[in-house]
Amino acid sequence: MDVRRLFVCLGGVVLLFCVRSEENISFGSTAKQSSDQSSSGWEANAAVDGCLKQHIDSGCCSHTESLGWKEAWWQVDLGSLSTISYITIFYRVEAVDDFRSRFAGYQLYMSNTTDWTQGVLCYEDRSNTEEELDTVVTHQCPYVAQYVTVYNYRNNTTRHDWYDTYAVLELCEVQVFGCRLGKHGNGTCNNTCSDNCYGGNCDASTGSCFYCPSRKHGKMCDRDCSSNCKEGLCDKDTGYCNECIPGKHGNSCGQDCLSNCEDGLCAKDTGHCHGCILGKRGDICELDCPVNCQNSICAKDTGYCTECIPGKYGNTCEQDCSLNCKDGVCAKDTGHCDGCILGKRGNICELDCPVNCQDSICTQDTGYCSACITGRHGDFCSNICHNNCLDNTCEKNNGQCIGCTSGKYGANCDLDCSGHCNNSVCMQISGQCKECVIGKYGSTCEQNCPLDCKDNVCSINEGKCLHCITGRYGETCTFTCPVTCKDFTCDQQTGQCLDCYPGKYGVVCGADCPVTCRDICNKDDGECIHVNNAKVSAEDGTDYKLIAIAVLTVICGLMLAVLITLVVCLIRKNKDKNDSSDKNIEQRSQDPNYSSLSGVQEETPNVYEMIVS
């Protein structure tokens, strides 16, 4: 830039500054920057000292580090929230180089904190050539803020190839024109904003309010919004309502919505109803819905029915559904039946279902039978089931028999069951016999049961005997029971005797019962069950065997004494030849009611046998 151009720009800026009523609120404020050019003294505050010289040697410019940085920033703290009108930037200019390649792509932020990324981007440079970029430039930034930040960056690939490689800022002056919050006017911002201004904020030049409180409008917010404005909100400049209360329309909401508007609501600008009451249509709901609309409901704009009454279809439901439609119902748009009456198919149910469909039922679109009559299969039930299918019944889809007649198996029941299957019955898929004839086992009952199986019967799968003939045991009855087993009978699984002969015990009845037992003892442990018909009990510790022996001894002694006495008496009476005494003695000795102490009826001893003995 030549010297004349520089003076022209400076003159224009000075003239602009003189006619503006705001003050430069950045002058003398605290500034800081991302880095300082080494040992230069070109610090951040040099850009708010009021000096407008743009060459670096003047000492009026700030300068960040020029090498190695991809980001650079400069920030001024205005000291408090301020109403900003515009910002003017003076960038470094030298006689041989104006350094625009460094300034290119810069951004200008307004914020309430030092973190400008949380603020507002007021301007971003997108100059396509160096000549388009001004080194003295003014930006309108009508914001309330405390911090103003100039930021620049360089991506690995810059926006234009004429950009400098590194991010550098060389700001000679940054002027922020405006007033402190709540002030305006005459270059010194001595005037206070109107109390009507929302938040006490107004334009720093004119004093007009930025925003008005609810129910107010006008430059100074001194005029009332219409009472029909919804929530009392209207445009600050025109006073037009933002929205109307229900039932009203117009710029100031002074007109009534029509009575046919649903809920009395209509558009603010046109008065067109948002919706219509039942049975009405049109912009202002002045028209009737078609008579065949179900529940008299139709579209407000077109008058098309939402749904039709039964038996009708079409946009306005003026056409008749097919008579073959089930319940007379068809699609509103196409007239296609929702379902068909029995025996019919097709979009409008004009076609017949196949004759072999069970109950004449088929699908509406394809005509496939839902089920087939007995003996038929296939989509249209046109195929015949195989002859050997049980009850002439087969699967609809593939024709496979559901069951087979006796003696047959296979999907089509065309194979013969084994002749050894009981009643010629076998599994349909595998052909395995369900039961075998007597004496056979195996999947097809081809194998013989073991010879020693009782009644020649064995399990169908393993050929194991269900029971063994007498004297045999084992799964196939191949083993012989011990000869000591009573009746030659033993357990089929273990071979142990089921019972023993008298006087024997043990698993194979090979042990003798104790001598004290009266031939019978417990089979498992040999414990006596009877001792001379008296039960052995150990519950009270009494030995009943010794007691029985003692009692018998006493009885025998008494009987011997009696016999001896009788003999002596007989001898004496014989000497006296007393027949009556002999008879009495004989009758007395033969008393049938006499019993021994042992409880066993004793036989009357023969006197002569006793003497001989």
Side-chain angles (χ1 to χ4, degrees):
M1 176 182 292
D2 56 27
V3 176
R4 287 181 298 173
R5 180 178 177 184
L6 175 60
F7 277 112
V8 170
C9 292
L10 287 175
V13 172
V14 171
L15 180 61
L16 177 64
F17 178 72
C18 292
V19 300
R20 299 294 299 198
S21 60
E22 303 92 336
E23 62 180 347
N24 178 15
I25 55 178
S26 66
F27 176 71
S29 297
T30 301
K32 57 183 178 179
Q33 57 190 10
S34 57
S35 63
D36 295 326
Q37 180 70 6
S38 301
S39 305
S40 65
W42 300 323
E43 297 177 351
N45 285 334
V48 288
D49 60 358
C51 178
L52 303 182
K53 295 178 181 180
Q54 292 179 263
H55 54 89
I56 200 69
D57 291 336
S58 66
C60 294
C61 301
S62 64
H63 195 317
T64 63
E65 182 67 44
S66 58
L67 296 176
W69 296 88
K70 291 295 183 180
E71 290 184 304
W73 55 266
W74 177 94
Q75 184 180 79
V76 61
D77 181 0
L78 302 178
S80 63
L81 289 176
S82 302
T83 304
I84 300 171
S85 294
Y86 63 94
I87 297 171
T88 300
I89 299 175
F90 296 81
Y91 201 74
R92 176 185 179 185
V93 176
E94 301 292 343
V96 294
D97 190 350
D98 57 12
F99 295 92
R100 298 187 203 187
S101 62
R102 293 183 174 180
F103 194 34
Y106 71 95
Q107 296 175 334
L108 191 59
Y109 285 92
M110 312 288 110
S111 63
N112 293 337
T113 67
T114 56
D115 184 4
W116 67 86
T117 61
Q118 300 300 315
V120 177
L121 176 63
C122 172
Y123 177 80
E124 180 178 11
D125 174 59
R126 293 181 176 272
S127 301
N128 293 318
T129 64
E130 289 187 73
E131 289 72 20
E132 290 182 15
L133 180 61
D134 293 327
T135 56
V136 178
V137 60
T138 298
H139 300 295
Q140 299 294 325
C141 291
Y143 297 103
V144 174
Q146 181 175 341
Y147 297 90
V148 175
T149 305
V150 181
Y151 172 75
N152 211 346
Y153 66 97
R154 290 291 181 262
N155 292 329
N156 290 333
T157 301
T158 57
R159 182 180 296 167
H160 298 292
D161 56 7
W162 55 271
Y163 277 24
D164 194 88
T165 303
Y166 301 110
V168 183
L169 287 176
E170 301 160 300
L171 303 174
C172 294
E173 192 72 16
V174 178
Q175 296 177 329
V176 180
F177 291 95
C179 294
R180 303 299 175 187
L181 193 65
K183 295 292 184 178
H184 73 94
N186 71 17
T188 57
C189 299
N190 289 332
N191 298 329
T192 302
C193 296
S194 170
D195 292 339
N196 291 334
C197 294
Y198 182 80
N201 298 332
C202 64
D203 184 272
S205 300
T206 64
S208 61
C209 300
F210 287 139
Y211 305 102
C212 292
S214 178
R215 306 187 187 282
K216 292 292 183 178
H217 74 96
K219 290 184 177 181
M220 307 305 294
C221 300
D222 52 355
R223 303 179 63 183
D224 294 327
C225 297
S226 168
S227 59
N228 290 331
C229 292
K230 186 177 181 180
E231 297 178 356
L233 300 178
C234 64
D235 181 82
K236 172 183 174 296
D237 298 324
T238 63
Y240 292 166
C241 297
N242 295 344
E243 294 183 50
C244 295
I245 60 175
K248 296 291 184 178
H249 73 95
N251 290 332
S252 300
C253 303
Q255 303 178 61
D256 295 325
C257 296
L258 296 178
S259 59
N260 286 341
C261 292
E262 186 179 20
D263 299 325
L265 300 178
C266 62
K268 171 183 171 291
D269 298 330
T270 63
H272 291 175
C273 299
H274 292 323
C276 296
I277 61 174
L278 191 66
K280 292 294 184 178
R281 65 182 180 87
D283 290 336
I284 55 176
C285 304
E286 75 282 11
L287 303 174
D288 294 325
C289 291
V291 293
N292 290 329
C293 291
Q294 190 171 32
N295 299 323
S296 299
I297 299 175
C298 65
K300 174 180 175 293
D301 299 330
T302 62
Y304 291 167
C305 298
T306 304
E307 295 291 341
C308 296
I309 61 175
K312 295 290 185 178
Y313 76 97
N315 289 330
T316 56
C317 303
E318 73 283 0
Q319 302 182 64
D320 295 324
C321 297
S322 168
L323 295 177
N324 290 333
C325 291
K326 185 178 181 181
D327 301 325
V329 178
C330 63
K332 172 184 172 293
D333 298 330
T334 63
H336 292 173
C337 299
D338 292 346
C340 296
I341 62 175
L342 192 65
K344 292 293 184 178
R345 66 182 180 86
N347 289 332
I348 56 175
C349 304
E350 76 282 12
L351 304 174
D352 294 324
C353 291
V355 293
N356 291 325
C357 292
Q358 187 175 7
D359 299 326
S360 297
I361 299 175
C362 64
T363 58
Q364 182 177 350
D365 51 351
T366 63
Y368 292 167
C369 297
S370 301
C372 296
I373 62 175
T374 301
R376 295 284 180 165
H377 73 92
D379 291 335
F380 302 104
C381 299
S382 56
N383 301 320
I384 300 175
C385 296
H386 294 278
N387 292 331
N388 292 327
C389 290
L390 184 65
D391 298 328
N392 200 22
T393 303
C394 61
E395 296 284 352
K396 175 184 176 294
N397 296 329
N398 53 30
Q400 293 183 358
C401 297
I402 297 175
C404 295
T405 58
S406 179
K408 294 292 184 178
Y409 79 96
N412 299 321
C413 299
D414 51 355
L415 302 175
D416 294 323
C417 296
S418 168
H420 295 133
C421 292
N422 191 26
N423 297 323
S424 297
V425 177
C426 62
M427 306 294 289
Q428 181 177 351
I429 303 301
S430 64
Q432 294 181 357
C433 298
K434 293 184 178 180
E435 294 182 11
C436 294
V437 296
I438 294 176
K440 295 290 185 178
Y441 78 95
S443 59
T444 56
C445 301
E446 299 293 335
Q447 301 181 66
N448 295 321
C449 293
L451 296 176
D452 292 327
C453 290
K454 185 178 181 180
D455 299 327
N456 205 17
V457 176
C458 62
S459 64
I460 186 172
N461 295 322
E462 299 90 357
K464 297 178 180 179
C465 297
L466 301 184
H467 301 286
C468 293
I469 61 175
T470 301
R472 291 288 183 172
Y473 76 94
E475 291 183 344
T476 56
C477 302
T478 54
F479 303 107
T480 303
C481 294
V483 295
T484 51
C485 293
K486 184 178 181 180
D487 299 328
F488 204 30
T489 303
C490 63
D491 183 89
Q492 183 173 343
Q493 303 300 323
T494 64
Q496 295 180 5
C497 296
L498 298 178
D499 199 1
C500 296
Y501 286 107
K504 296 291 185 178
Y505 79 95
V507 294
V508 295
C509 299
D512 294 324
C513 292
V515 295
T516 54
C517 296
R518 190 174 181 183
D519 297 331
I520 301 175
C521 63
N522 187 286
K523 174 186 174 297
D524 296 325
D525 55 15
E527 183 179 347
C528 293
I529 296 176
H530 298 290
V531 179
N532 291 330
N533 294 328
K535 292 184 179 180
V536 179
S537 173
E539 294 179 359
D540 58 1
T542 302
D543 192 341
Y544 290 103
K545 294 179 180 179
L546 294 178
I547 293 175
I549 293 172
V551 171
L552 290 174
T553 301
V554 172
I555 291 174
C556 291
L558 291 174
M559 290 178 66
L560 182 59
V562 171
L563 289 175
I564 293 172
T565 302
L566 289 175
V567 171
V568 173
C569 291
L570 286 173
I571 293 173
R572 289 178 180 177
K573 288 183 180 182
N574 284 333
K575 288 181 180 182
D576 296 333
K577 296 181 181 180
N578 189 343
D579 293 334
S580 62
S581 297
D582 291 340
K583 292 179 181 179
N584 291 334
I585 294 173
E586 183 178 354
Q587 292 174 356
R588 181 177 174 185
S589 61
Q590 293 178 353
D591 187 354
N593 295 322
Y594 178 78
S595 301
S596 68
L597 295 177
S598 63
V600 179
Q601 186 69 32
E602 296 293 336
E603 189 177 83
T604 304
N606 190 302
V607 174
Y608 301 99
E609 289 180 358
M610 292 298 292
I611 294 174
V612 174
S613 300

